[in-house]
Amino acid sequence: MGNSSSVLTQYDIEEVQEHCQRLFSQQEIVSLYQRFCQLDRNAKGFISADEFLSVPEFAMNLLSQRLLKMVDGLNFKDFVTFLSAFTAKASVQ
C-alpha cells in the first residue's frame, strides 16, 4: 500500500478509514492516496520532509518547520491520520 505502483484494495481503504476514525469517505481516501503517491517521488512508501516542502502552500506556512518534525517519514496511514486533524469533521481534541 505504500508505494506509487501499488493500488488500494477495498480492504486497504477500509483499514485506513478505521485508522483515521472514518473522518474521510472512501473516495477521499483514494484521492489522498493519489496525492500521497505524487509526493512520494521515489516510491519509498513514506514521504520525507523534502517531499512535503515541494508543496508550495506547506513550504510557505509559518509553522512548516514545526510541522516538518511531525510529518517527516509518514507512511500513507499516518499521512491520512495527520490530515484528519485538519478536516471539519474532526473533534477539537
Side-chain angles (χ1 to χ4, degrees):
M1 175 174 36
N3 65 39
S4 59
S5 64
S6 67
V7 176
L8 283 178
T9 65
Q10 184 65 32
Y11 175 81
D12 292 332
I13 294 168
E14 290 172 8
E15 183 180 355
V16 171
Q17 278 188 301
E18 287 297 320
H19 192 71
C20 72
Q21 302 171 341
R22 297 202 171 273
L23 291 173
F24 293 112
S25 69
Q26 290 190 9
Q27 183 55 45
E28 289 170 323
I29 298 288
V30 171
S31 294
L32 288 171
Y33 186 69
Q34 291 169 346
R35 182 63 174 141
F36 177 86
C37 291
Q38 290 171 349
L39 290 171
D40 182 16
R41 292 181 291 229
N42 297 323
K44 303 170 302 299
F46 63 90
I47 301 174
S48 69
D50 289 338
E51 289 167 328
F52 267 103
L53 287 174
S54 72
V55 178
E57 297 84 358
F58 187 83
M60 292 174 26
N61 189 311
L62 296 175
L63 297 174
S64 65
Q65 292 306 308
R66 284 188 180 182
L67 291 171
L68 281 178
K69 293 176 183 174
M70 296 169 49
V71 300
D72 190 26
L74 288 183
N75 63 27
F76 179 62
K77 278 186 188 177
D78 293 336
F79 174 73
V80 173
T81 301
F82 173 77
L83 293 177
S84 70
F86 300 99
T87 182
K89 299 175 199 172
S91 71
V92 175
Q93 286 105 355

